[in-house]
Amino acid sequence: MSLHHLALGLIVGTAIFAKAQTANDSIEIFTYSTNDGTSGLKIATRKSSGEWRPINDLRLVGSDFGAWGSQKRMYKPHLRRGKESGLWHLTFDVLPDGSTAGYTSSPDLINWTVQEYRHANEIEKLIGEDTFDFDTLKDSIDGQAVEGTILNIEKAEIERLKAYNNYREGLAAKYNESCDADRWRFAGIDSIEMSLTLDPKAAKPISDRLFGIFFEDINYAADGGLYAELVRNRDFEFSSEDRHNWHALEAWALTDSTKGNVEISEVNPIHNNNRHYARLSVARKGLGLTNSGFDGISIKRGDRYNISAFVRAPQKGSYKVALISPDGEKIGECRLNLDVENEWVNLAGIIKAKADCANATLTITPEKTGVHDFDMISLMPEDTYNGRENGLRRDLALVLADLKPSFVRFPGGCVAHGDGVDNIYDWKGSIGPLESRTGKRNLWGYHQTRGLGFHEYFLMCEDFGASPLPVLAAGVPCQNSSRPSHHSIDGLSSHGQQCGIPMDEMPAYIQDILDLIEYANGYITTEWGAKRAAAGHPEPFGLKMIGIGNEDLITEAFKERFGMIFDAIKSAYPKIEVIGSVGPFYEGSDYTEGWEYARKNRIPVVDEHYYVSPGWLIHNGHFYDSYPRGEGETKVYLGEYASHRPDRQSDLEAALSDALYLTNVERNADVVAMTSYAPLLAKKNHTQWRPDLIYFDNESITLTPDYYVQKMYGNNAGDLYLPNERHLSTDNPDVACRLGQSIVVDSKSGDTIIKLVNLTPTTVSTTLPLTGPAEVTILSGKPSDEDVKESVINHDVTDGVYIQPPYSFSVLRFKSL
Ligand code: AHR
């Protein structure tokens, strides 16, 4: 465990002492919640006037129920202490209507068990046999009406809680440190000397798949992003389900509303999964449908674009498809001919662009009057990444490929486990002919066509030379779910949170997961192997690992369902490595419970997530040093992490703190098997989450400093770690924790790679354990820089000294001779 856990242990230890105090040392407290339940559990003591005075800043625990952040409410908390167990039991309402309640318990009012939720009149059953005395009270604090319980507690316990609170505040202050204070922090330190020595005998094998990428359809990363489709809402399946004011004609308009009309129909659709289509009634010639794309359609002069559309009409005829600039200029066009009546026909053509245009629209115009049905109107650049049909936007895919990821995780993130049971990502709905795929509401507030589906994800991995890592829900939806499900579980029908797939549907769900493995790896004679072959890929995709769950709360509903899935995979495909989940943070109930569960059940790898400040990364370099390692121990996949500055900017300070942390991860890469920065992609003006690794719009890409950090690690990974000793010319602890080094050997090339991070304003003259010519890649600048780029130089380190620039990340690659 980390130092942090040790400190926690000491504080908790005083609780045992505190319990031995006499009742004379006790005081009366009122525990309650305020601010419409967002405060979590608070404590107040009585003033001599009889009024309650809150112990400020003391928040014992909050509710985990409901959607993100302020949606998580704790109403009417009832805290009491079990006479038999000595445990603190806490029940609370999670909805204002009082229908649903939560329960958690704690030995010390600091560490709490994973919360469980039940119908309100079932909640007390979770407490079991314990007995207790308590009084409920309605009162007002700071002018707000509050409700909670009054109890007696030893004064020493209150002091211990205050001490713990101070300790947490101290940590928070440390973690909030930024380079802004470096002028004072490093005053008087003009230069630093560092020398590194090696003990080659102690070299240890490390993971050779340490640096991968995390792809999630967040921030318009897929439709409108990496997926090359240029028509928005091509299948007329957008609806108010996706966003309250959206509808099936979103992004579409008539070219001239005086000449006819358009309506949405569902009669005889092309496919039952794609029920809506546009019916255009042309009263006068010249009426067409126009699509505005994703913030316009970006067209490049000389490029060719594949147009296709399902069309049905009672008469044969032709259709003009054109790309039009904002000032009405025709940039390119083609004609599609329909020579069948009353049947859906998929028509295709090619448009060659005559000019550049950042903001074109696409129009499709029937030559004849009458009724015309349209669906799946698609415009794809011919020049996709690796020339794949239904492929990826080339420039974006290229910058991803440049990261040299050893694996690609998909389709999320929260998108994988969905907002409520009904929104769990069903991979089968994302494969096969495009018109048969099921579009889905994206919990990030938009629509997924899933034209970029599991088959395309596998192809992307193949093209990148990366291992596929599909992540599927562990039978439970996102811990921040807000949507109701089509069924209830544990008496909770009103909410998606903490539900699970009902037990009688689990066998089918588990079969879906096994079918995915078969789709990826099975012989073409198997049902799912044959589907892969029919999609154009008879060779297996070589799936070796699968993620089950995404930062779920480790509830009973989770454990039960995860266990069923894990056992089924182990028994049917013992060679597939299952990656489990240990909650959304680097500490707390789910982390603790998740690790306990993983070790007990010998889960090969678990997925840790943490989005933290640069200060956290600087001061937690030791985080993995004491994790158990060795044969049979559960390993770590650091599946989502990113340094978050308060302003959420992607600057060099954040990037260098990630680089620094990764030197520590590399040192521990016998226990940390894989890492992936998250999120990966974000479309400008459509960003739900910051920071991200790569920002883009339709025409350009902005690579962040963190992108270069990932690229420098991905291109310089090793499989053997060379333990080293470091001597610094100063014993200033602020210097020590801001310098990082890691030395690895890549046994394929035989190259030795030294990584050096300097998060101080001073040069660091570094005596290296190796000499000779090296290829050096450097990222450096001012901490607030957002547009720094790596530079590569050939450097002769014959004197064995390398000068690290201030605020820099350097990778020195010594080629094998
Ligand atoms: O990376 C963005 C989100 O962060 C992921 O979807 C989720 O897993 C995490 O909370």
Side-chain angles (χ1 to χ4, degrees):
M1 283 288 113
S2 63
L3 275 182
H4 160 68
H5 290 102
L6 224 144
L8 197 72
L10 289 176
I11 289 167
V12 172
T14 59
I16 298 161
F17 167 73
K19 266 173 84 177
Q21 304 288 300
T22 65
N24 293 341
D25 293 326
S26 72
I27 52 166
E28 197 179 39
I29 57 164
F30 176 36
T31 59
Y32 64 99
S33 69
T34 179
N35 292 337
D36 206 17
T38 55
S39 67
L41 187 64
K42 304 276 296 169
I43 297 189
T45 51
R46 257 198 221 282
K47 290 205 271 192
S48 49
S49 62
E51 269 175 72
W52 293 107
R53 177 180 37 203
I55 303 181
N56 277 334
D57 305 330
L58 211 53
R59 180 188 202 257
L60 298 182
V61 62
S63 167
D64 277 337
F65 187 92
W68 307 91
S70 62
Q71 300 295 310
K72 297 184 185 295
R73 309 288 174 101
M74 176 179 281
Y75 302 100
K76 302 183 186 169
H78 287 173
L79 180 72
R80 40 256 152 92
R81 191 172 212 170
K83 284 188 181 162
E84 281 75 22
S85 67
L87 276 182
W88 294 97
H89 299 285
L90 174 68
T91 58
F92 49 96
D93 287 351
V94 295
L95 297 175
D97 66 7
S99 62
T100 306
Y103 168 73
T104 178
S105 65
S106 169
D108 51 21
L109 296 173
I110 291 173
N111 297 289
W112 295 87
T113 54
V114 175
Q115 297 178 7
E116 294 286 339
Y117 309 102
R118 293 288 185 277
H119 197 273
N121 52 25
E122 301 280 304
I123 202 72
E124 293 292 320
K125 287 188 192 155
L126 292 175
I127 297 178
E129 298 299 302
D130 247 352
T131 53
F132 31 75
D133 299 323
F134 74 104
D135 287 318
T136 56
L137 176 76
K138 289 184 186 175
D139 209 321
S140 90
I141 292 188
D142 294 337
Q144 284 193 51
V146 292
E147 183 174 336
T149 48
I150 303 191
L151 353 115
N152 281 312
I153 184 169
E154 289 86 0
K155 283 182 191 155
E157 289 208 47
I158 291 289
E159 291 313 312
R160 175 182 56 86
L161 290 176
K162 285 184 184 167
Y164 177 69
N165 204 43
N166 290 341
Y167 159 74
R168 295 293 297 187
E169 279 175 2
L171 276 187
K174 199 156 112 174
Y175 296 163
N176 282 337
E177 286 174 4
S178 87
C179 291
D180 296 346
D182 280 358
R183 204 166 354 140
W184 298 281
R185 186 175 291 125
F186 297 110
I189 301 184
D190 300 327
S191 71
I192 301 167
E193 283 174 24
M194 167 171 159
S195 88
L196 291 175
T197 49
L198 282 183
D199 174 5
K201 284 197 292 296
K204 64 171 177 181
I206 54 168
S207 169
D208 60 358
R209 49 172 177 162
L210 196 52
F211 306 105
I213 57 178
F214 161 99
F215 181 87
E216 172 166 27
D217 187 3
I218 181 173
N219 308 317
Y220 280 70
D223 294 307
L226 185 59
Y227 184 43
E229 176 61 77
L230 295 168
V231 174
R232 181 160 172 257
N233 189 18
R234 68 180 176 195
D235 54 9
F236 302 95
E237 295 299 322
F238 278 31
S239 78
S240 56
E241 262 289 288
D242 303 314
R243 204 179 278 188
H244 74 275
N245 57 348
W246 282 7
H247 48 77
L249 281 167
E250 188 67 30
W252 291 99
L254 291 172
T255 52
D256 182 346
S257 58
T258 63
K259 291 183 173 166
N261 63 64
V262 61
E263 60 184 14
I264 292 296
S265 176
E266 292 183 63
V267 182
N268 295 329
I270 13 174
H271 196 281
N272 275 339
N273 292 344
N274 180 3
R275 295 206 62 81
H276 303 97
Y277 59 87
R279 169 156 289 184
L280 184 71
S281 301
V282 183
R284 282 192 293 134
K285 278 191 189 177
L287 175 66
L289 271 180
T290 179
N291 186 275
S292 51
F294 296 88
D295 298 336
I297 299 176
S298 162
I299 296 296
K300 294 285 167 231
R301 180 165 178 255
D303 279 4
R304 287 155 60 91
Y305 296 84
N306 294 322
I307 170 86
S308 65
F310 275 84
V311 182
R312 180 176 62 187
Q315 67 283 318
K316 295 176 187 165
S318 71
Y319 296 82
K320 245 190 335 198
V321 185
L323 290 167
I324 313 283
S325 73
D327 50 17
E329 188 202 343
K330 204 176 282 170
I331 306 164
E333 71 178 324
C334 77
R335 188 175 289 275
L336 305 177
N337 292 316
L338 179 70
D339 47 20
V340 177
E341 290 165 5
N342 293 316
E343 262 177 45
W344 284 112
V345 183
N346 194 5
L347 305 179
I350 291 176
I351 300 180
K352 190 164 173 210
K354 290 191 292 197
D356 286 336
C357 182
N359 195 10
T361 52
L362 176 89
T363 63
I364 182 160
T365 313
E367 165 204 46
K368 292 186 178 158
T369 56
V371 169
H372 306 266
D373 295 338
F374 296 106
D375 207 349
M376 296 300 293
I377 303 175
S378 161
L379 182 75
M380 279 267 181
E382 202 175 68
D383 186 21
T384 56
Y385 177 64
N386 263 3
R388 297 249 185 223
E389 237 178 76
N390 191 46
L392 307 181
R393 186 175 136 177
R394 192 164 174 277
D395 57 346
L396 275 178
L398 280 173
V399 295
L400 297 184
D402 284 349
L403 292 168
K404 294 252 166 59
S406 61
F407 64 90
V408 179
R409 168 192 176 140
F410 58 89
C414 289
V415 159
H417 57 177
D419 182 10
V421 169
D422 301 335
N423 192 239
I424 287 176
Y425 196 102
D426 57 319
W427 74 270
K428 286 182 177 171
S430 81
I431 59 159
L434 295 178
E435 66 277 13
S436 72
R437 297 190 186 181
T438 46
K440 249 196 178 343
R441 172 173 70 86
N442 186 318
L443 84 175
W444 296 109
Y446 55 98
H447 184 88
Q448 311 171 68
T449 62
R450 302 203 295 165
L452 175 53
F454 265 47
H455 189 80
E456 292 75 23
Y457 286 130
F458 281 125
L459 291 176
M460 168 161 79
C461 295
E462 190 166 285
D463 289 351
F464 290 173
S467 295
L469 171 53
V471 175
L472 303 178
V476 296
C478 180
Q479 78 280 10
N480 299 308
S481 289
S482 59
R483 293 283 176 120
S485 302
H486 68 279
H487 43 246
S488 74
I489 177 171
D490 299 334
L492 304 183
S493 56
S494 59
H495 227 277
Q497 169 79 6
Q498 292 300 326
C499 285
I501 293 175
M503 277 301 158
D504 60 348
E505 292 176 25
M506 276 303 288
Y509 182 70
I510 293 170
Q511 190 55 50
D512 281 352
I513 296 178
L514 301 180
D515 290 344
L516 172 64
I517 300 173
E518 206 57 36
Y519 184 86
N521 292 351
Y523 290 116
I524 56 173
T525 47
T526 63
E527 182 188 353
W528 289 94
K531 288 189 201 291
R532 181 191 69 240
H537 202 284
E539 310 77 26
F541 282 120
L543 180 71
K544 295 198 181 82
M545 53 190 172
I546 191 164
I548 300 298
N550 175 60
E551 62 174 42
D552 304 294
L553 305 185
I554 313 298
T555 58
E556 289 309 311
F558 166 85
K559 287 194 242 176
E560 203 175 359
R561 287 162 182 77
F562 179 92
M564 291 166 78
I565 300 169
F566 182 54
D567 290 346
I569 298 176
K570 235 178 18 181
S571 121
Y573 300 98
K575 288 198 178 136
I576 295 283
E577 185 177 45
V578 175
I579 300 179
S581 174
V582 292
F585 302 114
Y586 58 81
E587 63 176 4
S589 322
D590 302 296
Y591 172 86
T592 309
E593 186 72 26
W595 267 104
E596 211 169 284
Y597 178 79
R599 292 198 171 112
K600 194 163 134 213
N601 292 284
R602 304 195 82 74
I603 299 168
V605 185
V606 290
D607 179 14
E608 291 189 352
H609 292 181
Y610 38 89
Y611 296 95
V612 289
S613 59
W616 190 94
L617 295 164
I618 289 168
H619 292 290
N620 282 281
H622 55 267
F623 193 76
Y624 292 114
D625 289 359
S626 52
Y627 269 48
R629 56 200 75 209
E631 222 17 61
E633 287 292 349
T634 300
K635 291 193 190 302
V636 177
Y637 163 35
L638 176 50
E640 291 185 30
Y641 73 96
S643 181
H644 273 201
R645 307 247 302 113
D647 54 10
R648 304 232 155 201
Q649 289 307 103
S650 304
D651 60 17
L652 187 64
E653 177 172 356
L656 289 181
S657 65
D658 283 324
L660 177 74
Y661 194 67
L662 288 176
T663 58
N664 297 307
V665 168
E666 220 170 29
R667 185 180 67 247
N668 284 297
D670 47 343
V671 64
V672 183
M674 302 151 76
T675 64
S676 46
Y677 181 100
L680 183 65
L681 291 173
K683 187 159 197 171
K684 290 177 187 166
N685 301 323
H686 297 282
T687 298
Q688 296 95 37
W689 186 286
R690 277 177 181 280
D692 304 282
L693 201 64
I694 299 165
Y695 293 90
F696 63 93
D697 57 26
N698 288 344
E699 304 236 298
S700 67
I701 296 176
T702 305
L703 302 174
T704 62
D706 251 304
Y707 171 85
Y708 291 104
V709 167
Q710 291 296 321
K711 185 175 167 203
M712 286 161 73
Y713 270 98
N715 282 266
N716 292 289
D719 52 2
L720 200 62
Y721 184 82
L722 304 183
N724 49 80
E725 265 197 49
R726 180 176 85 176
H727 297 280
L728 295 177
S729 56
T730 164
D731 54 9
N732 182 326
D734 279 326
V735 171
C737 63
R738 285 170 174 78
L739 298 179
Q741 78 283 340
S742 159
I743 309 179
V744 297
V745 174
D746 167 32
S747 49
K748 272 200 209 112
S749 61
D751 297 353
T752 303
I753 302 147
I754 303 183
K755 301 188 181 86
L756 299 166
V757 180
N758 174 14
L759 197 34
T760 78
T762 306
T763 55
V764 180
S765 169
T766 311
T767 306
L768 302 169
L770 291 179
T771 56
E775 186 188 87
V776 182
T777 313
I778 311 173
L779 184 72
S780 68
K782 291 198 297 304
S784 57
D785 284 347
E786 291 178 37
D787 59 357
V788 284
K789 291 186 176 30
E790 60 174 6
S791 52
V792 183
I793 51 171
N794 285 318
H795 195 83
D796 201 355
V797 209
T798 35
D799 59 354
V801 176
Y802 174 73
I803 308 292
Q804 298 184 54
Y807 299 118
S808 64
F809 173 34
S810 309
V811 177
L812 289 75
R813 190 168 188 120
F814 292 85
K815 300 266 179 202
S816 89
L817 298 174

